[in-house]
Amino acid sequence: DDVDAVAESLAAPEEAPLKERLCQGRFNAWVALMKLGQNSLAHELYKRLELQSHSVTLSSVRSVCVQFSIAGMQGVYKQSSCFDPSSPTWHMNSTTKAMELIPNLLVDWMLDDELLISSRHWTAGSGPEANDVQLNESRLSERFGSDTMTSLGGL
């Protein structure tokens, strides 16, 4: 999408620190998209973000896992996406031996082992719902403060 394209065009060289390589371009694109250029809170939270690890697994499904800490909390971001985003994708359930439709895009964002954001996207008409987003607004507000969430563009 547009944010990823901008982020990739701003990507740091391979020898740059992990945070700079993975996040700086995306952060800059998000700040521009949300019109948060002079928002000191957004920049302060970004300063407090520390990346601990990043892994990518490539097969018919691309899986990304980023472990991080922010504001004293430990986090994990997981994303799985199908290489062909326009086609339904099936997976063999190892327990039931039945074929199951899986989302074309799956995203989970956890802090201190608590799932706060979960998103699933299936190709049009192929899944239980075309988009399924679960956002634990109350826990996000408790963790970061409702004023902080509002300042960053809301939920």
Side-chain angles (χ1 to χ4, degrees), residues 93-111:
N93 182 310
S94 60
T95 305
T96 66
K97 307 293 186 218
M99 295 295 289
E100 296 176 345
L101 186 64
I102 62 170
N104 291 68
L105 175 65
L106 176 144
V107 175
D108 287 332
W109 195 78
M110 297 175 22
L111 284 178

mmCIF file of all heavy atoms in Angstrom, residues 93-111:
data_model
loop_
_atom_site.group_PDB
_atom_site.id
_atom_site.type_symbol
_atom_site.label_atom_id
_atom_site.label_comp_id
_atom_site.label_asym_id
_atom_site.label_seq_id
_atom_site.Cartn_x
_atom_site.Cartn_y
_atom_site.Cartn_z
ATOM 1 N N ASN A 93 -5.249 -28.538 8.260
ATOM 2 C CA ASN A 93 -5.241 -28.612 9.716
ATOM 3 C C ASN A 93 -4.602 -29.937 10.110
ATOM 4 O O ASN A 93 -5.071 -30.999 9.719
ATOM 5 C CB ASN A 93 -6.664 -28.505 10.259
ATOM 6 C CG ASN A 93 -6.732 -28.528 11.761
ATOM 7 O OD1 ASN A 93 -6.161 -29.398 12.412
ATOM 8 N ND2 ASN A 93 -7.447 -27.570 12.311
ATOM 9 N N SER A 94 -3.518 -29.870 10.892
ATOM 10 C CA SER A 94 -2.779 -31.086 11.235
ATOM 11 C C SER A 94 -3.563 -32.006 12.175
ATOM 12 O O SER A 94 -3.318 -33.202 12.211
ATOM 13 C CB SER A 94 -1.426 -30.733 11.853
ATOM 14 O OG SER A 94 -1.609 -29.979 13.020
ATOM 15 N N THR A 95 -4.503 -31.458 12.924
ATOM 16 C CA THR A 95 -5.292 -32.269 13.850
ATOM 17 C C THR A 95 -6.473 -32.933 13.155
ATOM 18 O O THR A 95 -6.665 -34.145 13.241
ATOM 19 C CB THR A 95 -5.801 -31.402 15.022
ATOM 20 O OG1 THR A 95 -4.687 -30.775 15.637
ATOM 21 C CG2 THR A 95 -6.551 -32.247 16.040
ATOM 22 N N THR A 96 -7.266 -32.133 12.439
ATOM 23 C CA THR A 96 -8.482 -32.663 11.814
ATOM 24 C C THR A 96 -8.241 -33.208 10.407
ATOM 25 O O THR A 96 -9.104 -33.874 9.859
ATOM 26 C CB THR A 96 -9.559 -31.570 11.731
ATOM 27 O OG1 THR A 96 -9.113 -30.536 10.833
ATOM 28 C CG2 THR A 96 -9.875 -30.993 13.103
ATOM 29 N N LYS A 97 -7.095 -32.881 9.838
ATOM 30 C CA LYS A 97 -6.758 -33.280 8.459
ATOM 31 C C LYS A 97 -7.726 -32.694 7.439
ATOM 32 O O LYS A 97 -7.865 -33.202 6.339
ATOM 33 C CB LYS A 97 -6.683 -34.804 8.301
ATOM 34 C CG LYS A 97 -5.769 -35.492 9.281
ATOM 35 C CD LYS A 97 -4.346 -35.135 9.060
ATOM 36 C CE LYS A 97 -3.454 -35.959 9.985
ATOM 37 N NZ LYS A 97 -2.360 -35.238 10.508
ATOM 38 N N ALA A 98 -8.375 -31.611 7.814
ATOM 39 C CA ALA A 98 -9.309 -30.940 6.905
ATOM 40 C C ALA A 98 -8.670 -29.658 6.372
ATOM 41 O O ALA A 98 -7.851 -29.031 7.048
ATOM 42 C CB ALA A 98 -10.599 -30.601 7.639
ATOM 43 N N MET A 99 -9.043 -29.309 5.174
ATOM 44 C CA MET A 99 -8.574 -28.050 4.595
ATOM 45 C C MET A 99 -9.353 -26.898 5.234
ATOM 46 O O MET A 99 -10.579 -26.979 5.387
ATOM 47 C CB MET A 99 -8.780 -28.039 3.083
ATOM 48 C CG MET A 99 -7.949 -29.065 2.350
ATOM 49 S SD MET A 99 -6.173 -28.744 2.473
ATOM 50 C CE MET A 99 -6.008 -27.303 1.445
ATOM 51 N N GLU A 100 -8.626 -25.835 5.624
ATOM 52 C CA GLU A 100 -9.251 -24.665 6.245
ATOM 53 C C GLU A 100 -8.816 -23.412 5.506
ATOM 54 O O GLU A 100 -7.641 -23.251 5.168
ATOM 55 C CB GLU A 100 -8.829 -24.539 7.713
ATOM 56 C CG GLU A 100 -9.276 -25.679 8.575
ATOM 57 C CD GLU A 100 -8.762 -25.558 10.004
ATOM 58 O OE1 GLU A 100 -7.839 -24.756 10.258
ATOM 59 O OE2 GLU A 100 -9.300 -26.276 10.864
ATOM 60 N N LEU A 101 -9.776 -22.547 5.276
ATOM 61 C CA LEU A 101 -9.486 -21.258 4.672
ATOM 62 C C LEU A 101 -8.754 -20.395 5.700
ATOM 63 O O LEU A 101 -9.175 -20.314 6.856
ATOM 64 C CB LEU A 101 -10.794 -20.574 4.260
ATOM 65 C CG LEU A 101 -10.677 -19.280 3.482
ATOM 66 C CD1 LEU A 101 -10.013 -19.505 2.127
ATOM 67 C CD2 LEU A 101 -12.069 -18.686 3.275
ATOM 68 N N ILE A 102 -7.638 -19.807 5.310
ATOM 69 C CA ILE A 102 -6.904 -18.935 6.230
ATOM 70 C C ILE A 102 -6.922 -17.511 5.699
ATOM 71 O O ILE A 102 -7.098 -17.288 4.499
ATOM 72 C CB ILE A 102 -5.452 -19.417 6.457
ATOM 73 C CG1 ILE A 102 -4.650 -19.398 5.155
ATOM 74 C CG2 ILE A 102 -5.433 -20.790 7.106
ATOM 75 C CD1 ILE A 102 -3.164 -19.639 5.341
ATOM 76 N N PRO A 103 -6.757 -16.529 6.571
ATOM 77 C CA PRO A 103 -6.754 -15.135 6.117
ATOM 78 C C PRO A 103 -5.573 -14.858 5.183
ATOM 79 O O PRO A 103 -4.505 -15.447 5.330
ATOM 80 C CB PRO A 103 -6.586 -14.331 7.411
ATOM 81 C CG PRO A 103 -6.845 -15.275 8.530
ATOM 82 C CD PRO A 103 -6.582 -16.646 8.010
ATOM 83 N N ASN A 104 -5.786 -13.959 4.237
ATOM 84 C CA ASN A 104 -4.695 -13.539 3.369
ATOM 85 C C ASN A 104 -3.729 -12.631 4.113
ATOM 86 O O ASN A 104 -2.560 -12.539 3.763
ATOM 87 C CB ASN A 104 -5.246 -12.814 2.139
ATOM 88 C CG ASN A 104 -5.967 -13.773 1.243
ATOM 89 O OD1 ASN A 104 -7.012 -14.281 1.607
ATOM 90 N ND2 ASN A 104 -5.401 -14.055 0.086
ATOM 91 N N LEU A 105 -4.231 -11.952 5.148
ATOM 92 C CA LEU A 105 -3.389 -11.119 5.996
ATOM 93 C C LEU A 105 -3.836 -11.299 7.435
ATOM 94 O O LEU A 105 -5.022 -11.232 7.740
ATOM 95 C CB LEU A 105 -3.512 -9.630 5.613
ATOM 96 C CG LEU A 105 -2.764 -8.653 6.511
ATOM 97 C CD1 LEU A 105 -1.256 -8.862 6.418
ATOM 98 C CD2 LEU A 105 -3.122 -7.222 6.143
ATOM 99 N N LEU A 106 -2.870 -11.549 8.300
ATOM 100 C CA LEU A 106 -3.142 -11.751 9.713
ATOM 101 C C LEU A 106 -2.135 -10.899 10.487
ATOM 102 O O LEU A 106 -0.938 -10.957 10.208
ATOM 103 C CB LEU A 106 -2.950 -13.235 10.032
ATOM 104 C CG LEU A 106 -3.081 -13.702 11.451
ATOM 105 C CD1 LEU A 106 -3.733 -15.066 11.449
ATOM 106 C CD2 LEU A 106 -1.764 -13.752 12.148
ATOM 107 N N VAL A 107 -2.609 -10.068 11.418
ATOM 108 C CA VAL A 107 -1.732 -9.213 12.219
ATOM 109 C C VAL A 107 -2.147 -9.310 13.683
ATOM 110 O O VAL A 107 -3.327 -9.218 14.001
ATOM 111 C CB VAL A 107 -1.818 -7.733 11.761
ATOM 112 C CG1 VAL A 107 -1.013 -6.829 12.675
ATOM 113 C CG2 VAL A 107 -1.360 -7.583 10.327
ATOM 114 N N ASP A 108 -1.163 -9.520 14.557
ATOM 115 C CA ASP A 108 -1.383 -9.494 16.005
ATOM 116 C C ASP A 108 -0.350 -8.569 16.627
ATOM 117 O O ASP A 108 0.830 -8.604 16.246
ATOM 118 C CB ASP A 108 -1.230 -10.891 16.619
ATOM 119 C CG ASP A 108 -2.400 -11.805 16.296
ATOM 120 O OD1 ASP A 108 -3.511 -11.294 16.084
ATOM 121 O OD2 ASP A 108 -2.196 -13.034 16.255
ATOM 122 N N TRP A 109 -0.787 -7.749 17.591
ATOM 123 C CA TRP A 109 0.084 -6.815 18.312
ATOM 124 C C TRP A 109 -0.164 -7.021 19.796
ATOM 125 O O TRP A 109 -1.279 -6.831 20.267
ATOM 126 C CB TRP A 109 -0.243 -5.391 17.879
ATOM 127 C CG TRP A 109 0.767 -4.366 18.233
ATOM 128 C CD1 TRP A 109 1.952 -4.130 17.596
ATOM 129 C CD2 TRP A 109 0.681 -3.395 19.281
ATOM 130 N NE1 TRP A 109 2.595 -3.075 18.201
ATOM 131 C CE2 TRP A 109 1.841 -2.602 19.233
ATOM 132 C CE3 TRP A 109 -0.267 -3.129 20.271
ATOM 133 C CZ2 TRP A 109 2.076 -1.569 20.120
ATOM 134 C CZ3 TRP A 109 -0.032 -2.095 21.158
ATOM 135 C CH2 TRP A 109 1.130 -1.325 21.067
ATOM 136 N N MET A 110 0.886 -7.447 20.498
ATOM 137 C CA MET A 110 0.754 -7.782 21.914
ATOM 138 C C MET A 110 1.706 -6.936 22.743
ATOM 139 O O MET A 110 2.807 -6.615 22.296
ATOM 140 C CB MET A 110 1.078 -9.263 22.143
ATOM 141 C CG MET A 110 0.126 -10.179 21.443
ATOM 142 S SD MET A 110 0.474 -11.970 21.516
ATOM 143 C CE MET A 110 1.478 -12.220 22.892
ATOM 144 N N LEU A 111 1.271 -6.591 23.952
ATOM 145 C CA LEU A 111 2.130 -5.958 24.947
ATOM 146 C C LEU A 111 2.047 -6.777 26.219
ATOM 147 O O LEU A 111 0.946 -7.081 26.687
ATOM 148 C CB LEU A 111 1.686 -4.520 25.240
ATOM 149 C CG LEU A 111 2.027 -3.471 24.197
ATOM 150 C CD1 LEU A 111 1.474 -2.120 24.613
ATOM 151 C CD2 LEU A 111 3.515 -3.387 23.938
#
